[in-house]
Amino acid sequence: MPMSLPWAAEIHLFTPAVPETGAMPIVWAFPSTYNVGITSLGYQLIWGILAQRSDVRVSRLFTDGGEVLPSRPELVGFSFAWELDYPHIFNLLEQLGIPLLSHERQNHHPLVFGGGPVLSANPEPFANFFDVILLGDGEELIPNFLDNYQAIRNHNRPEKLLRLAQIPGIYIPQFYQPVYQSITGFLETVIPHPEVPPTIKRQTYKGNTLATSTVVTPHAAWENIYLVEVVRSCPEMCRFCLASYLTLPFRNAEINTGLIPAIQRGVAVTHRIGLLGPSVTQHPEFPELLTYLNQPEFDALRLSLASVRAATVDELLVETLVRHQSQSLTIAVESGSERLRQVINKKLTQPEIFQAAKVAQKGGLKGLKLYSIVGVPTENETDVQATVDLMQELRKIAPRLRLTLGCSTFVPKAHTPWQWLGVNPQAEKRLQFLSKHLGKLGVEFRPESYKDSLVQAVISRGDRRLTQLLLLTRNYGVSLGGIRRAFKELRGQLPPLDFYVHQDWSENRFLPWQHLTGTVGLAMLVSHRQRSFATAPSTAPPAGEWRVNSPESRG
């Protein structure tokens, strides 16, 4: 793709600095195509920070092209937001002439750093590919990283890494040595280098001005959209939710000094605004924001909204969406079973869901999309049937709404209360059950791939023994078939596939990411896990219905 065309169409919402003599040459990469990467608010945010520093000369790089690259970059960074994009990181490193494994890089090679949700959650499967991993929010990490690097640019590679390891939130994997019971056994501990901190704490930006787009372009996946982060994290704390537990505390942008000025900047260059956040309608001043957007001067504005809490759907919200060209509303219900929602910690009742549908239809919306999940701990067939019953009832309550149900499979994520639990092997059949019965109701069903979920589980619970497996799957394919083939070839060199995917782990086991801490401590995660199973014990299925593993295979 000739990158001059999308580059030429960009509208920048900041003034780039003029690089000074001797500015650090940096490549800022995204392991996907331009239209996907430039739509990522996190990628845009960091690019804006880099481009506004006069001591940096930054060039962007995507899988389908990039800006003019420096002949000898000092730093090469990746924004890593989707687990299955990892082969593109390998391809881009090779394109730049950089060895894939950090221990093979010499003094003349750039330092390879990375951040984003995948690495902040569990960087261990990728630890041997990165020299530096940034854990947490970029607003504070990137400036600290660059300021400290500036002072050591002329040092040799080991000295640079040792100095950088002292900065809060910066993880240098080579200084932390995992120790296993055996080559196929559990992790026993991680031994830090004597001159580095024993644990690394994820850094949290606590300002009340959150991220906004630094670029608007017609070549983005969402054409000409200007993105505004309304809230960060989520106060609901559903037990499976990485977006909540990993990014706590819940923060909201201040309306008068943050949101309104941001929207004013956006409408000056485009007529499409996107409001982002795990739970945007829980912003304490969200009604005031909607009232502001409903002024006549914004009548031509097209508004897009992230998923909202069903209990917050009211006439003002629906009126605002319809007024600004939105056709549908999205709510996360997780399950049609009230019992299961209590286990999940989803604070949502059937009447609230029904009321949201009634208000959406009455207000003139055309569609209602619901998100759900299967394979949740303690789930049984009755719970899955309850989701069908919910959709059937919604069809009766709001017959004019086009109903869509998106559904994923539970995948355990690091730093959540269910990180110790494996994927339920019954989830695939339950997706098939929903597909069959929802089709009869005229509900559009959009399931995520069960097989892809298993690949995600390998990565989300993985450790450094996956290094060779990830390299093999470049050739075999990033698919369940490719992953299985790689596990078969490496048999005896790492635990089996089921160890990472389906097996429950004991709370007493040392986890691959346990030396990397977040806002929520291990004791609280254990407490929340135990609390979830104490919610409705009398209706929970027996262990044999939930788990296929033999007792000997458990942690």
Side-chain angles (χ1 to χ4, degrees):
M1 178 181 70
M3 295 306 289
S4 58
L5 293 178
W7 251 247
E10 289 182 349
I11 299 173
H12 297 169
L13 289 109
F14 67 95
T15 302
V18 176
E20 61 194 34
T21 302
M24 293 181 284
I26 298 177
V27 174
W28 180 231
F30 193 91
S32 190
T33 57
Y34 171 82
N35 73 314
V36 174
I38 205 63
T39 311
S40 165
L41 187 55
Y43 180 82
Q44 287 189 34
L45 172 69
I46 302 306
W47 173 62
I49 293 173
L50 295 172
Q52 291 178 81
R53 291 181 62 119
S54 61
D55 62 346
V56 165
R57 187 182 301 275
V58 60
S59 302
R60 290 174 290 175
L61 178 63
F62 304 90
T63 57
D64 53 353
E67 295 174 301
V68 176
L69 301 178
S71 59
R72 295 193 64 178
E74 292 186 38
L75 298 170
V76 173
F78 290 89
S79 178
F80 195 3
W82 172 240
E83 290 98 335
L84 304 193
D85 277 341
Y86 69 83
H88 302 311
I89 294 178
F90 301 159
N91 295 340
L92 291 173
L93 287 174
E94 285 188 340
Q95 178 183 324
L96 294 167
I98 301 171
L100 299 187
L101 296 172
S102 59
H103 73 265
E104 295 179 352
R105 296 173 194 145
Q106 303 300 314
N107 208 45
H108 66 278
H109 290 120
L111 295 185
V112 177
F113 72 96
V118 174
L119 296 176
S120 274
N122 176 23
E124 288 307 288
F126 308 101
N128 289 324
F129 304 110
F130 286 91
D131 300 306
V132 178
I133 293 173
L134 309 182
L135 300 177
D137 296 333
E139 288 94 336
E140 295 186 7
L141 271 171
I142 289 292
N144 286 344
F145 173 47
L146 295 179
D147 290 346
N148 281 273
Y149 178 80
Q150 184 69 263
I152 56 172
R153 288 177 68 184
N154 296 322
H155 292 211
N156 64 38
R157 190 180 192 86
E159 290 172 345
K160 287 178 183 176
L161 294 174
L162 196 57
R163 288 279 296 273
L164 292 172
Q166 314 306 318
I167 304 169
I170 292 188
Y171 176 41
I172 312 297
Q174 70 179 55
F175 293 141
Y176 297 82
Q177 182 61 45
V179 178
Y180 304 97
Q181 289 177 334
S182 66
I183 196 167
T184 60
F186 275 95
L187 178 69
E188 284 192 342
T189 190
V190 170
I191 300 177
H193 184 283
E195 296 181 49
V196 302
T199 60
I200 302 94
K201 183 175 177 58
R202 186 183 189 279
Q203 297 300 290
T204 302
Y205 169 69
K206 296 182 180 179
N208 57 9
T209 300
L210 301 182
T212 58
S213 285
T214 56
V215 60
V216 170
T217 171
H219 299 290
W222 297 334
E223 183 179 345
N224 287 319
I225 197 166
Y226 175 84
L227 301 172
V228 179
E229 187 182 22
V230 178
V231 297
R232 190 172 295 184
S233 194
C234 178
E236 296 303 294
M237 300 179 73
C238 293
R239 304 306 188 204
F240 62 83
C241 185
L242 184 66
S244 181
Y245 280 89
L246 184 65
T247 61
L248 287 170
F250 178 66
R251 289 147 284 165
N252 55 269
E254 206 284 327
I255 186 167
N256 291 315
T257 60
L259 292 179
I260 289 178
I263 289 170
Q264 290 171 341
R265 291 194 300 272
V267 297
V269 298
T270 184
H271 294 298
R272 187 176 184 188
I273 302 290
L275 303 181
L276 298 186
S279 190
V280 292
T281 54
Q282 286 184 273
H283 189 291
E285 297 175 289
F286 199 72
E288 288 82 353
L289 179 62
L290 296 181
T291 300
Y292 174 80
L293 291 170
N294 285 335
Q295 295 178 95
E297 64 186 281
F298 299 127
D299 281 349
L301 183 66
R302 182 180 176 188
L303 185 66
S304 299
L305 218 64
S307 174
V308 304
R309 278 197 72 210
T312 63
V313 177
D314 57 16
E315 292 180 1
L316 176 60
L317 174 61
V318 173
E319 174 195 343
T320 305
L321 291 173
V322 172
R323 181 170 183 156
H324 295 292
Q325 306 176 51
S326 285
Q327 299 291 314
S328 63
L329 182 71
T330 302
I331 59 176
V333 297
E334 316 310 352
S335 173
S337 165
E338 292 226 23
R339 181 198 73 83
L340 201 59
R341 288 200 297 270
Q342 292 175 21
V343 173
I344 293 170
N345 198 36
K346 186 74 177 181
K347 306 171 186 71
L348 179 64
T349 66
Q350 302 297 84
E352 288 172 330
I353 299 172
F354 297 150
Q355 179 64 17
K358 291 176 184 176
V359 173
Q361 178 175 269
K362 182 179 179 181
L365 289 173
K366 305 300 182 185
L368 179 65
K369 181 176 181 180
L370 301 95
Y371 282 126
S372 64
I373 186 169
V374 294
V376 172
T378 81
E379 177 188 78
N380 56 38
E381 284 73 16
T382 302
D383 297 316
V384 183
Q385 178 62 50
T387 299
V388 176
D389 295 341
L390 172 67
M391 301 306 293
Q392 186 172 26
E393 189 63 25
L394 287 172
R395 173 63 68 210
K396 296 176 184 176
I397 289 172
R400 297 193 303 275
L401 286 180
R402 180 182 67 256
L403 296 180
T404 303
L405 183 71
C407 191
S408 60
T409 296
F410 164 69
V411 173
K413 297 291 185 177
H415 307 285
T416 69
W418 288 348
Q419 62 185 354
W420 295 275
L421 305 177
V423 176
N424 186 345
Q426 297 299 315
E428 185 173 27
K429 291 182 179 179
R430 291 172 183 173
L431 288 172
Q432 294 167 352
F433 176 89
L434 289 174
S435 179
K436 175 182 176 182
H437 291 277
L438 293 176
K440 296 176 182 177
L441 298 176
V443 174
E444 182 181 359
F445 184 54
R446 297 181 183 175
E448 292 186 9
S449 166
Y450 171 75
K451 292 180 179 179
D452 282 353
S453 296
L454 299 190
V455 178
Q456 286 184 52
V458 171
I459 295 172
S460 69
R461 301 175 92 200
D463 51 50
R464 296 193 200 180
R465 289 173 292 187
L466 295 183
T467 298
Q468 290 304 316
L469 182 133
L470 296 179
L471 290 172
L472 282 175
T473 53
R474 293 182 71 200
N475 300 318
Y476 298 163
V478 185
S479 64
L480 184 58
I483 290 284
R484 282 176 169 158
R485 182 179 174 186
F487 267 104
K488 183 177 180 181
E489 183 168 333
L490 295 171
R491 183 177 297 158
Q493 300 177 47
L494 75 171
L497 177 68
D498 279 359
F499 172 88
Y500 295 106
V501 175
H502 294 300
Q503 187 171 328
D504 286 349
W505 295 347
S506 166
E507 293 171 0
N508 297 321
R509 292 292 179 189
F510 192 94
L511 299 170
W513 51 87
Q514 199 157 314
H515 57 304
L516 313 173
T517 64
T519 306
V520 179
L522 186 63
M524 182 179 289
L525 293 178
V526 170
S527 172
H528 282 212
R529 176 187 186 274
Q530 294 171 346
R531 199 181 307 169
S532 68
F533 293 123
T535 302
S538 62
T539 53
E545 183 177 341
W546 160 240
R547 197 56 62 214
V548 295
N549 311 71
S550 65
E552 291 77 16
S553 71
R554 303 191 185 196

